Amino acid sequence: MERTFLMVKPDGVQRGLIGEITARFEKKGFKLAGAKLMNISEDLAKEHYGEHKDRPFFGELVEFITSGPVFAMVWEGKDVIATARFMMGKTNPAEAAPGTIRGDYAVQVSNNIIHGSDSPESAVREIGLFFKEEELVAYEKSVAAWI
Ligand code: RTP
Ligand code: MG
């Protein structure tokens, strides 16, 4: 089953949106495999966002993502990587459709509430950066036959 890494960013945690956001993925039919509230070190932030290291906003991005706790999660399900990105909405909240997380709760590209892996390779890499294998829980959900 496919897995993705999702993270409520510091702005989402500060604004009390952990519950709203996790509820959307639960109701959709995905399965939570692991979750934790944590602070991101500068080293982890730079590693996680390494693909953006030459972009002008890299410094601000690292500063923002380390500015307060994040809620890191691993979710499982059919096509969860692409579907979660669709549910998050476009990177720039001004372009994110209403009904998406960024479309409903964010205004600025630098404070866009949630991160989600953008490919199967990113998902494996990011899950490995944030979680130890023993922190992920394997279990059955009784609704599995319908979704
Ligand atoms: P994320 O990695 O956080 O899930 O976001 P994303 O895939 O939708 O967007 P990405 O291109 O990976 O950019 C990472 C984060 O950098 C910030 N950003 N700022 N100032 C800017 O023009 C700009 N562009 C991107 C955003 O917070 C974005 O989520
Ligand atoms: Mg990205």
Side-chain angles (χ1 to χ4, degrees):
M1 192 51 84
E2 194 170 276
R3 275 178 176 174
T4 196
F5 174 70
L6 302 181
M7 171 169 75
V8 182
K9 295 183 180 182
D11 53 338
V13 174
Q14 290 297 320
R15 290 175 53 195
L17 294 173
I18 293 173
E20 291 280 345
I21 289 168
T22 53
R24 289 183 181 220
F25 296 104
E26 277 193 301
K27 289 175 185 168
K28 177 73 175 170
F30 294 129
K31 189 167 86 170
L32 187 62
K36 59 184 169 185
L37 187 70
M38 61 180 280
N39 287 305
I40 299 186
S41 68
E42 198 175 316
D43 284 351
L44 178 57
K46 288 180 172 165
E47 179 90 38
H48 172 67
Y49 278 129
E51 66 175 309
H52 300 305
K53 67 177 190 315
D54 298 324
R55 309 279 286 275
F57 56 82
F58 186 66
E60 264 175 51
L61 185 56
V62 169
E63 198 175 320
F64 165 63
I65 211 70
T66 59
S67 66
V70 301
F71 192 65
M73 301 169 277
V74 175
W75 287 88
E76 286 178 8
K78 182 175 182 299
D79 296 328
V80 67
I81 299 170
T83 306
R85 293 280 295 188
F86 197 45
M87 291 168 68
M88 287 160 53
K90 294 231 170 105
T91 305
N92 183 350
E95 295 165 6
T100 65
I101 293 166
R102 287 164 171 169
D104 285 351
Y105 301 125
V107 169
Q108 306 193 77
V109 69
S110 52
N111 299 272
N112 61 3
I113 301 283
I114 183 165
H115 163 82
S117 305
D118 61 8
S119 67
E121 297 73 32
S122 303
V124 168
R125 189 181 79 88
E126 293 170 0
I127 291 168
L129 279 176
F130 282 83
F131 286 90
K132 298 181 185 130
E133 193 54 45
E134 62 265 28
E135 290 177 308
L136 302 178
V137 181
Y139 61 104
E140 295 298 322
K141 279 185 97 173
S142 59
V143 295
W146 288 275
I147 53 177

